[in-house]
């Protein structure tokens, strides 16, 4: 099936009990056992079925299958938020004393996990100075357990050279983990270019309506854990926290997600509620159409901003002179994302005046909603970073971020125009 079709039908062929066409919301905590033996068989993973919604739920299952199909993975684990997806993934790969290598252009809270949370748990994250593959490769050593990037960075809009990063990860015998939140699989399927694990904030474009937090981890199924058993013994050796289970023996190619579910989801329990899964599924049904419109509206906004003398810079990968133009052609087939940053006359003060003058754009910290959204990263999403870390992430105090929505383009441009007029009225 093509993505447009998967978005509507993937992972669900009607409810087996009622023949309901919409995915039913199984709003239940637990599932009854036929007998003591049945319960034990479920807990021993010998029988198929549900036990408790912290471990699995039929509504959430449909979402997992659909997201996995959209990304071309073998399976997915849906969790409470994009941040949970990222955190579980890293905990599932690295142990104290080991490290992760990452690009510096990151969503602010991912940066916080990398710079502050994982190091306190003994896992160092080495941030390269740029997204140039050679700089990342230079940071990898024998203790590195993952190479990480956002396929399209938030908010920098940088596009990572996935094939080059995948080749580096293969040489280093580690998985390439990517956050594909910004482009979504509609614009880019990282597994096609060698990514091993894809994480998502479903909260953004996939959900699309700004109603529900959610996250997902998708496994390509390609990383050969057993061939690298010396590096990932937690997957290939008996787990004493789960009565001696060997994940690679039990789950085969799905070992990574099997452990993420059995260890982190089961014990920490940052679970996606069935109701959120239902709402996210409603959003996913229209993701292809929405993204098409987001991309087209963003192109018009970028061109408008660039032609305007009140605007001093626009970072948009769709411009032929963008450093990311060639990568945009290669990985996104020229469809630059609807997330962009720009600066205006008057620097940080001008930017603040612009922000305050917006009428249609919502001032908030979110992206990928159907509505047009504006954010000032330095004072909000990326506030915890030092000025130098912000610069490496592609922002300064004057940077404004737009997530261009799917309203009529005339209304979007009119709002930007009037806000620019008010912001620059008194500046030279
Ligand atoms: N990844 C990216 C690229 C993001 O922009 C965000 C949030 O803005 C997240 C992950 C975190 O997602 P969530 O808010 O669902 O935890």
């Amino acid at each position: 099936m093509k993505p447009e079709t998967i978005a509507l039908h993937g992972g669900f062929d009607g409810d087996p009990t009622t023949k309901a066409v919409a995915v039913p919301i199984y709003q239940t905590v637990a599932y009854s056992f036929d007998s003591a033996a049945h319960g034990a068989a479920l807990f021993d993973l010998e029988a198929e079925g549900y036990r408790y919604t912290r471990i699995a739920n039929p509504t959430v299952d449909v979402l997992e299958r659909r997201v996995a199909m959209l990304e071309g993975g073998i399976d997915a684990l849906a969790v409470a938020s994009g941040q949970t997806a990222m955190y579980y993934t890293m905990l599932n790969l690295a142990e104290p004393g080991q490290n992760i290598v990452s690009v510096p252009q990151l969503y602010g809270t991912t940066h916080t996990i990398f710079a502050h949370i994982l190091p306190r748990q003994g896992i160092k994250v080495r941030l390269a100075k740029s997204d140039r593959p050679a700089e990342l490769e230079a940071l990898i050593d024998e203790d590195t357990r993952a190479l990480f990037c956002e396929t399209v960075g938030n908010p920098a809009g940088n596009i990572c050279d996935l094939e080059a990063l995948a080749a580096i990860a293969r040489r280093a015998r580690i998985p390439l983990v990517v956050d594909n939140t910004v482009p979504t699989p509609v614009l880019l399927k990282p597994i096609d270019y060698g990514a091993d694990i894809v994480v998502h904030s479903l909260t953004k474009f996939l959900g699309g309506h700004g109603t529900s937090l959610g996250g997902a981890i998708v496994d390509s199924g390609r990383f050969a854990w057993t061939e690298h058993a010396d590096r990932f013994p937690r997957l290939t050796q008996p787990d004493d926290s789960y009565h001696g289970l060997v994940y690679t023996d039990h789950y085969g190619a799905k070992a990574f997600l099997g452990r993420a579910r059995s260890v982190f989801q089961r014990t920490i329990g940052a679970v996606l509620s069935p109701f959120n899964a239902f709402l996210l599924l409603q959003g996913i049904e229209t993701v292809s159409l929405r993204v098409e419109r987001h991309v087209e509206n963003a192109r018009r906004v970028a061109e408008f901003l660039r032609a305007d003398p009140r605007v001093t810079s626009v970072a948009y990968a769709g411009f032929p002179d963008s450093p990311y133009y060639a990568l945009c052609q290669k990985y996104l087939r020229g469809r630059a994302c609807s997330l962009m940053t720009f600066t205006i006359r008057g620097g940080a003060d001008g930017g603040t005046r612009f922000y305050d003058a917006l009428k249609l754009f919502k001032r908030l910290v979110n992206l990928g909603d159907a509505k047009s959204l504006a954010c000032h990263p330095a004072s909000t999403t990326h506030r915890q970073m030092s000025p130098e870390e912000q610069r490496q992430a592609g922002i300064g105090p004057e940077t404004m971020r737009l997530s261009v929505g799917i309203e009529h383009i005339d209304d979007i441009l009119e709002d930007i125009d009037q806000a620019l007029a008010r912001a620059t009225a008194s500046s030279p």
Side-chain angles (χ1 to χ4, degrees), residues 45-115:
L45 306 176
E46 280 163 5
E48 293 264 317
Y50 298 97
R51 291 172 275 164
Y52 195 66
T53 282
R54 178 152 36 73
I55 301 162
N57 171 279
T59 311
V60 178
D61 274 4
V62 177
L63 177 68
E64 289 170 344
R65 287 196 292 272
R66 195 163 292 179
V67 172
M69 288 172 79
L70 283 170
E71 283 290 5
I74 54 166
D75 207 354
L77 173 67
V79 290
S81 68
Q83 285 311 105
T84 308
M86 155 64 62
Y87 191 45
Y88 280 4
T89 297
M90 293 310 167
L91 291 180
N92 208 16
L93 290 170
E95 297 274 308
Q98 297 174 344
N99 68 74
I100 289 153
V101 170
S102 169
V103 299
Q105 297 98 335
L106 297 169
Y107 164 57
T109 312
T110 297
H111 181 272
T112 305
I113 291 188
F114 283 2

Side-chain angles (χ1 to χ4, degrees), residues 81-83 107 110 150 154 179 181-182 201 203-204 213-214 367:
S81 68
Q83 285 311 105
Y107 164 57
T110 297
E150 291 179 10
N154 167 20
D179 179 334
T181 298
V182 173
S201 168
T203 317
K204 316 294 176 188
L213 281 149
L367 62 92

Side-chain angles (χ1 to χ4, degrees), residues 98 148 150 156 307 314 340 352:
Q98 297 174 344
F148 178 78
E150 291 179 10
V314 187
M340 70 183 72
T352 306

Side-chain angles (χ1 to χ4, degrees), residues 11-60:
F12 185 68
D13 192 20
D15 180 49
T17 44
T18 64
K19 307 248 181 265
V21 172
V23 178
I25 304 171
Y26 284 93
Q27 193 70 31
T28 182
V29 168
Y31 310 82
S32 60
F33 307 135
D34 299 338
S35 61
H38 179 221
L42 285 168
F43 271 80
D44 282 348
L45 306 176
E46 280 163 5
E48 293 264 317
Y50 298 97
R51 291 172 275 164
Y52 195 66
T53 282
R54 178 152 36 73
I55 301 162
N57 171 279
T59 311
V60 178

Side-chain angles (χ1 to χ4, degrees), residues 106-129:
L106 297 169
Y107 164 57
T109 312
T110 297
H111 181 272
T112 305
I113 291 188
F114 283 2
H116 302 285
I117 309 299
L118 287 174
R120 279 181 208 141
Q121 295 173 295
I123 300 167
K124 290 248 157 45
V125 182
R126 300 175 173 176
L127 291 184
K129 291 222 164 10

Side-chain angles (χ1 to χ4, degrees), residues 7 28 37 66 68 94 100 106 123 153-154 198 211 213 226 248 294 303-305 367 388 391 395 398 406 414 419:
T28 182
R66 195 163 292 179
I100 289 153
L106 297 169
I123 300 167
N154 167 20
V198 181
T211 62
L213 281 149
T226 43
T248 43
H294 279 295
E303 285 167 357
F304 176 89
L305 290 172
L367 62 92
E388 174 58 14
R391 199 190 53 71
I395 55 178
E398 66 289 352
I406 63 172
E414 190 179 311

